[in-house]
Each structure stands twice: as structure tokens, then as C-alpha cells.
Amino acid sequence: MATILLLSTADTELLAARAADSGYRTANPARTDPGDLGGLLEGVDIAVVRLLGGSEAWPGGLERLRADGVPLVALGGEAAPDAEMIAHSTVPSGVATDAHAYLREGGIANLRELARFLSDTVLLTGEGFQPPQAMPEYGVHEIAPRAGERPAPRPSGVAPTVAVVFYRAHELSGNTAFVDTLCHAIEDAGGAPLPVFSGSLRGLTRDSHPGLFEILDRADAVITTVLAAGGAVAADASG
């Protein structure tokens, strides 16, 4: 199995990579000094770096990665491929673009297949791989029962329905304990929680995402944990 260093500014992406159990070594560039890359790169076969904000977000890190000589896949943190970041890659641009597709869809299964894809296309190991699997843009999260308790019946009837909107990336990486905790608190207060995951709320309309609005229309109140307005680029990047 190849050892792949995944450096991503999206912590949910790192969580999914660890859960994939596919030889990833992970770190967040926002918390990694370029001078500390030596230890992280030791024994690594391929390095993948995905930066929200592009190359200017971590110029010293990119320079250090390229100088090391390990095959480098450089990607932007947005949903669309970043040509300027891909140009920093030392693997063919087509390989980098395809790698971006796995990360754009996200989730543990896609991170597992990304490792196999890079192993085959860069190291020519012949493991075989599946193309990126499309993941749902939005949906309803299944609330986990409280520890040591059987699932309780959901409040109904006069209980107000409270939607809890959170990033799709948390759902795909399994990082949903905070959502479950909030939903349990809503139940304790006499409400009926409706946890909804979505890539972003920015720019969405009833015409573009009627299914999502149909779900949210069931709510009497909405609690959102995502950046829904104000032009914050993290909304798209974290979805």
C-alpha cells in the first residue's frame, strides 16, 4: 500500500482520509509550519495538498513539497478545479484534475478509491480503482441514540420542528456527534429535531434545489451551523 501525505485545510477531509484506512498520513497546512514537513514527508510515496485560498495560502509549504521531489498533487479548496494550483503539481495535470474529483465528492469511500487511483496512475501498482462516486448534495441525517439508551420516539403533533442545518462534509466524514448532541438538546426542550446536511446555503433557490427547500419547509424554526451569507468562501469549500 502506498503512503500518501494528505495536507488539506478542510479538517473533515482529513477525518475521512483517516477513516478510509488506506495509508494516508494527514496534516492541516494551516497548522503546519513548512519547516516541519521533513518528518511528515519521510517514507511518503505521494503528496496531495489542497488549499482553501490557493497557493498564496501556503507558499512556503508548496515550495518545500516541490523541492523534496516526491510526486505532488496540488489542488485548490473550491468545488471547481484551480488551474493555478494544478500547475504546481509534478504529476500530469489530468491526474491532478481527476484526483480533485474524488475530493470534491468527498466521503470515506471516495478517499479510499483516491488512494488506489493515485497508487495506480502515479506509482503504476496495478491495484485497480473505481471512479469517484457521486455523493448527495443534501439530505436528512439519522440521529444517533444517546450512549447507553435505546432510540427514543421522536416528538410529534404539537411539538415544533427545529431544523439543524450543517455542512455535508461533516455527514460524509462521520463527524456528526455535535449534530446529535444539539438534536438531543432540542428533544429535551420539547422540540422535534430535523437535522439537514447541505454543501452550502449560499446562492441556493427553490428553483435550483427544490428538494432541499421541501425538507426545510417542514421546519418551524431553523438553526444553521453553516456560513449562509456574507460572501465567505469557506461555505463552498467545506461542503
Side-chain angles (χ1 to χ4, degrees):
M1 179 183 296
T3 299
I4 300 174
L5 174 60
L6 176 61
L7 298 152
S8 174
T9 47
D11 284 332
T12 49
E13 211 158 71
L14 304 180
L15 289 171
R18 293 169 197 157
D21 192 23
S22 297
Y24 284 105
R25 186 178 298 172
T26 61
N28 189 320
R31 299 189 292 271
T32 304
D33 189 286
D36 296 331
L37 282 172
L40 287 171
L41 286 165
E42 186 174 351
V44 164
D45 299 300
I46 304 167
V48 179
V49 59
R50 193 172 189 219
L51 300 175
L52 180 62
S55 61
E56 293 303 313
W58 203 45
L62 281 174
E63 292 173 7
R64 176 66 178 82
L65 290 170
R66 288 179 61 88
D68 184 83
V70 65
L72 173 63
V73 180
L75 306 169
E78 302 288 349
D82 184 331
E84 190 266 342
M85 276 294 292
I86 288 176
H88 287 280
S89 301
T90 60
V91 301
S93 60
V95 171
T97 300
D98 288 346
H100 179 268
Y102 285 96
L103 293 172
R104 180 187 65 237
E105 292 299 332
I108 296 169
N110 278 322
L111 266 294
R112 188 175 295 124
E113 292 304 320
L114 171 61
R116 297 169 66 89
F117 164 76
L118 290 175
S119 182
D120 270 14
T121 56
V122 178
L123 305 178
L124 307 180
T125 54
E127 292 185 20
F129 57 88
Q130 296 296 318
Q133 178 184 352
M135 305 303 287
E137 294 183 26
Y138 59 85
V140 177
H141 166 71
E142 182 176 347
I143 304 170
R146 306 176 200 233
E149 295 183 7
R150 294 182 178 180
R154 303 294 176 213
S156 59
V158 297
T161 297
V162 181
V164 178
V165 182
F166 64 101
Y167 278 127
R168 165 184 178 267
H170 292 295
E171 178 74 13
L172 297 183
S173 66
N175 184 44
T176 54
F178 74 98
V179 177
D180 296 331
T181 298
L182 181 53
C183 288
H184 293 154
I186 291 171
E187 289 175 334
D188 291 342
L194 177 64
V196 181
F197 62 88
S198 175
S200 172
L201 296 185
R202 189 175 63 179
L204 300 187
T205 66
R206 288 185 179 275
D207 290 336
S208 65
H209 290 74
L212 174 59
F213 278 87
E214 183 178 341
I215 295 172
L216 294 177
D217 280 343
R218 292 154 50 186
D220 299 296
V222 176
I223 299 173
T224 178
T225 68
V226 307
L227 299 176
V233 295
D236 285 338
S238 299

